[in-house]
Amino acid sequence: MTIETPTVADPAEIKIFDTTLRDGEQSPGASMTLEEKIQVAEVLDAMGVDIIEAGFPIASNGDFEAVQTIARRTERSVIAGLARAIPADIDRAGEAVRDARRGRIHTFVSTSPIHLKHQMMKSQEEVLEIITATVGRARNLIDDVEWSGMDATRTPLDYLCRCVEAAIKAGATTINLPDTVGYSTPDEYRQMFATMIEKVPGADAVTFSVHCHDDLGLAVANSLGGIAGGARQVECTINGLGERAGNASLEEVVMAIRTRGDVLPYKTNVDPSYLTRASKLVSAVSGFPVQYNKAIVGKNAFAHESGIHQDGMLKNAETYEIMRPEDVGVKATSLVMGKHSGRHALREKLKELGFELGENAFTDVFNRFKELADRKKHVYDEDIEALVEDQITTSGERVKVISLTVIAGTGAPQKAIITMEMDGRHITEEAQGSGPVDATFNAIKQIVPHDARLSLYQVHAVTEGTDAQAEVSVRLEDNGRIASGRGADVDTLVASAKAYVAALNKLSIKRIHAQGVREAS
């Protein structure tokens, strides 16, 4: 079956700027380790993303190291580092991307009246001077400089024109006009770009960029509106991850352009067969599950239950599908693995599911697979995906769950005995609780003392059956910091312990990050 994609002659190229590792990581609870950021960057580079915003180098030593490491390792993508309109920020970003094959400094400053009055406490003329000075400083360090006018959609057009003109004269090569608070509508956003391109001297020599937030559910629609107005770069994230309601979803932007070539005469360099793989990886490392009915990459995106829909699908898939599942990397679930399957079979299955693991990571997943196959009658593709995601989440963690015993029943307090590895040492503690999960978390707290509050605890089965793996998601909050964790195991309590510990590990990363931000400010 072939689904024809309508096209027009000579479509304009749209650059895809992925900010999952920077704006996406700012989503409450979504901190990533260095190793996790490297894995995400490798997938983004392989799938053809034009620009990867790898982080905010001045924020912490960890952020700087992540941007620098990704800059040195990336093969194709431009690597960008974010910087406020502050000389030290710009210098730090320049240092972080210096070794990239192609690097970019992305600097920003607020332009809207409400931001200037209440946040920056600067006049319009002072901000214009800041733009000229900081963009010029960045351009002296690198040829590729992006300037963003924060809260551009709530900025008067005449003043925004002056800001854009100042940035272009100072040497900016890309102009980003973000809908920072998700306030705009598609036609307003289109008109804003059309006005800039028509009125600002030198606008024809730079690339205009969209960056939309989803507060009103319009991020993707607004991004497409900006393109219609002349923008040729889209800033977006995998799964729409980001602050508040998130950013424009990369997979939705890419597939909208690919699917509706008749009315969207554009093209991107992204290979869509990587989309599902990227989505699963980002979901695993961020601890943010993808909603089942999420467009393009949700579990139900290509599922059909209605009898009328199923009848049409059996006769011709085009009756109810405008995209092929395989185009976005979706594979049909199959029952092919078991306890007699060997290393080669598992490696091939992992490739089929879109995972390329190093030898150490593969050995760990293989050992977990064998353990699972001994405990579970049928091993589904979803089970293997859960194993890989669990391995990604726990690799390199400072604290790990080694073993757990829980004594539960009616008529008495529940008790948990847990052994954990902490900085290379095995520590065993026990605790009681009002239930088995409470006892387990209390035992963990004996080993890792903390004051974090559990604000979310969710359990769902990876597949069907009483022997299905449980996947647990937790969220912890501590002094304004939020961290999410996920864990999978056929034992729900073990999965709960893994998820809780994963969140604790991420909280520790956030504390370090917050300290770096304070020192940088």
Side-chain angles (χ1 to χ4, degrees):
M1 186 273 291
T2 301
I3 294 179
E4 296 293 335
T5 301
T7 58
V8 297
D10 195 25
E13 181 178 316
I14 304 299
K15 297 177 183 178
I16 297 298
F17 177 115
D18 182 273
T19 184
T20 303
L21 299 177
R22 201 278 302 168
D23 201 328
E25 201 201 15
Q26 290 178 205
S27 184
S31 290
M32 304 176 201
T33 66
L34 173 61
E35 292 75 17
E36 290 168 345
K37 289 182 178 182
I38 290 171
Q39 289 181 71
V40 173
E42 287 175 347
V43 172
L44 295 175
D45 189 40
M47 73 192 291
V49 164
D50 298 286
I51 304 101
I52 300 171
E53 188 166 54
F56 192 0
I58 197 71
S60 68
N61 289 334
D63 253 35
F64 177 85
E65 183 183 7
V67 177
Q68 186 179 65
T69 302
I70 291 168
R72 290 171 174 171
R73 295 176 58 153
T74 300
E75 297 291 333
R76 300 189 296 173
S77 303
V78 173
I79 302 302
L82 186 69
R84 294 168 297 185
I86 298 173
D89 279 43
I90 292 168
D91 294 347
R92 190 68 164 161
E95 185 182 357
V97 303
R98 183 174 55 200
D99 297 333
R101 286 176 173 80
R102 294 184 295 161
R104 173 181 295 187
I105 295 175
H106 178 195
T107 184
F108 69 94
V109 69
S110 293
T111 57
S112 69
I114 191 169
H115 277 219
L116 266 59
K117 179 179 180 180
H118 297 288
Q119 187 174 23
M120 292 193 68
M121 292 172 283
K122 300 283 187 183
S123 69
Q124 289 188 347
E125 294 305 318
E126 286 175 317
V127 169
L128 288 170
E129 291 174 4
I130 289 170
I131 293 170
T132 298
T134 54
V135 171
R137 187 183 189 94
R139 188 58 192 265
N140 286 335
L141 297 175
I142 199 165
D143 289 336
D144 190 344
V145 175
E146 176 171 339
W147 174 80
S148 289
M150 190 158 66
D151 206 20
T153 54
R154 294 193 295 174
T155 302
L157 287 178
D158 56 347
Y159 179 61
L160 189 60
C161 284
R162 294 177 65 195
C163 292
V164 170
E165 182 178 359
I168 293 173
K169 285 183 177 179
T173 51
T174 299
I175 300 294
N176 180 43
L177 302 178
D179 186 23
T180 304
V181 294
Y183 181 74
S184 193
T185 62
D187 192 58
E188 286 177 334
Y189 207 47
R190 177 196 63 77
Q191 185 59 47
M192 181 184 72
F193 281 97
T195 299
M196 295 300 116
I197 292 170
E198 176 187 353
K199 293 187 174 182
V200 176
D204 58 336
V206 300
T207 298
F208 279 84
S209 175
V210 302
H211 179 123
C212 298
H213 283 264
D214 209 33
D215 298 73
L216 295 176
L218 294 172
V220 172
N222 283 339
S223 296
L224 297 177
I227 293 173
R232 290 297 177 261
Q233 175 180 288
V234 177
E235 304 196 0
C236 45
T237 62
I238 299 295
N239 296 337
L241 195 66
E243 289 192 275
R244 302 185 315 278
N247 290 273
S249 164
L250 182 150
E251 57 273 10
E252 294 176 25
V253 171
V254 167
M255 290 310 294
I257 290 172
R258 189 175 190 273
T259 305
R260 292 305 312 273
D262 55 333
V263 294
L264 300 172
Y266 317 113
K267 63 181 179 179
T268 76
N269 293 316
V270 171
D271 180 349
S273 67
Y274 281 84
L275 292 175
T276 296
R277 175 183 173 189
S279 171
K280 290 176 179 177
L281 175 60
V282 170
S283 176
V285 301
S286 67
F288 277 47
V290 177
Q291 66 191 62
Y292 280 20
N293 63 337
K294 169 76 169 65
I296 315 300
V297 293
K299 284 188 176 182
N300 290 351
F302 296 97
H304 303 272
E305 185 169 319
S306 162
I308 294 174
H309 285 216
Q310 289 177 345
D311 177 68
M313 287 293 297
L314 290 171
K315 292 173 179 174
N316 186 324
E318 289 187 55
T319 55
Y320 290 101
E321 283 187 353
I322 59 173
M323 300 167 282
R324 298 179 302 180
E326 56 268 32
D327 287 344
V328 298
V330 173
K331 304 292 182 181
T333 298
S334 55
L335 243 175
V336 297
M337 303 298 290
K339 65 181 181 181
H340 299 297
S341 300
R343 294 175 67 90
H344 179 73
L346 179 61
R347 193 180 291 278
E348 289 303 309
K349 170 56 68 176
L350 290 172
K351 288 181 180 179
E352 178 186 320
L353 295 174
F355 295 107
E356 296 279 352
L357 302 180
E359 192 57 40
N360 291 339
F362 173 76
T363 298
D364 184 44
V365 170
F366 180 73
N367 291 335
R368 295 187 191 202
F369 163 71
K370 282 295 192 180
E371 292 173 5
L372 178 63
D374 283 336
R375 301 166 68 187
K376 195 174 187 294
K377 185 176 180 180
H378 300 304
V379 180
Y380 295 84
D381 289 355
E382 291 93 336
D383 289 313
I384 296 172
E385 289 172 349
L387 287 177
V388 175
E389 290 170 0
D390 194 50
Q391 190 278 332
I392 290 169
T393 301
T394 58
S395 63
E397 287 189 335
R398 173 174 167 258
V399 183
K400 295 182 180 180
V401 175
I402 301 300
S403 66
L404 174 67
T405 300
V406 177
I407 301 171
T410 59
Q414 322 298 298
K415 184 169 77 170
I417 305 168
I418 192 166
T419 299
M420 298 171 60
E421 180 182 301
M422 186 172 182
D423 297 329
R425 298 182 299 114
H426 284 198
I427 304 172
T428 301
E429 289 287 352
E430 64 178 67
Q432 293 184 340
S434 58
V437 174
D438 186 46
T440 298
F441 291 174
N442 286 341
I444 294 171
K445 195 171 182 178
Q446 294 292 322
I447 297 174
V448 187
H450 62 86
D451 296 318
R453 180 178 66 88
L454 179 66
S455 59
L456 175 71
Y457 175 77
Q458 290 182 337
V459 182
H460 81 269
V462 174
T463 56
E464 70 270 15
T466 57
D467 63 349
Q469 284 195 95
E471 187 170 69
V472 177
S473 298
V474 305
R475 176 174 289 186
L476 298 177
E477 298 184 12
D478 180 27
N479 291 325
R481 292 183 287 270
I482 301 174
S484 300
R486 291 169 69 182
D489 197 273
V490 291
D491 187 319
T492 303
L493 295 173
V494 173
S496 300
K498 288 180 176 180
Y500 195 80
V501 168
L504 285 174
N505 277 301
K506 292 197 172 187
L507 266 183
S508 68
I509 295 171
K510 279 187 170 286
R511 290 191 193 98
I512 295 170
H513 180 88
Q515 180 62 35
V517 172
R518 286 194 296 270
E519 292 174 354
S521 298

